[in-house]
Structures are given as C-alpha cells and as structure tokens.
Amino acid sequence: MLASKGKPFSFDQTELNPSRNKPSIRRTIMDVIVFLLTSLGYILQAFYYQIFGVPKKDLNGEIALVTGGGGGLGRLLALRLIKLGAKVVLWDINQEGMYSTIKIQTARKALVQTVLR
C-alpha cells in the first residue's frame, strides 16, 4: 500500500511532523546511564535490607481498622496489632465473633472500648 507522496507505508512519520525529535546518541547514552545508576541504587538497597533487615514501623499509639475482626485472620491480626501497641478498631458483621475477640482482649488485660449497635 502506498502512502502519500508515492512512498511505501511506514510507521516513521518524521516528514509529517518535523517538530518531532529524533533520538540522538547522546540522549540514548544518558538514558542508559540513568537506568544503570537507578538499578545500582536498588541493588544496593536490597543488599542493605538483606544484611541489616527492613526497618520496622513503630505501631505504638497508631490506630488500625481491622475488618472481619470477629474471627479467623481478622481476629489474629487484631490480637497481633494490640500486642504491638496499636489502638485497634474492630469491624465485622459477626457480632458474636467480635464479642469473643473483645473477651480475649480483656483476658489479656488490653484496653478495650466497645461501640456496638
């Protein structure tokens, strides 16, 4: 199929848009250097985390919302967050399960405030 001006069809549209910049050797070299430096940074960060461990966030005093806190993984997550010092808000449609989780918390002498409807 022939495009305009009798030339074969091509995806190169530089003649139709002369303001389009062609890639230069300098630009390509700069892109490769930036890519290599960025990759090196991520590799060094991975080595650092492997040697010293990933920094952990202090949850003491933070507020955490746990959906499904009435049973299963939600209950276990709520218990762990309270153990780490977070203030936990439980949200679940299973009110009996939430009561059970609250009983476990009070048995561990954790501060529990309930607002149930």
Side-chain angles (χ1 to χ4, degrees), residues 103-114:
K103 287 178 187 177
I104 294 171
Q105 296 303 333
T106 54
R108 291 185 174 190
K109 298 189 173 45
L111 175 64
V112 177
Q113 293 179 338
T114 60

Side-chain angles (χ1 to χ4, degrees), residues 4-67:
S4 62
K5 299 183 184 175
K7 294 183 179 181
F9 181 77
S10 172
F11 287 104
D12 184 21
Q13 301 291 322
T14 53
E15 289 182 10
L16 298 178
N17 189 1
S19 64
R20 183 174 156 191
N21 297 332
K22 288 187 177 182
S24 66
I25 298 293
R26 185 182 326 172
R27 178 71 179 168
T28 303
I29 291 172
M30 287 301 297
D31 286 344
V32 169
I33 290 172
V34 167
F35 170 76
L36 291 175
L37 289 175
T38 304
S39 299
L40 180 66
Y42 283 119
I43 290 170
L44 291 175
Q45 182 183 30
F47 281 135
Y48 177 84
Y49 287 163
Q50 191 69 29
I51 294 169
F52 298 108
V54 179
K56 295 183 180 177
K57 183 177 179 180
D58 183 26
L59 295 177
N60 195 14
E62 296 288 329
I63 299 173
L65 172 66
V66 178
T67 58

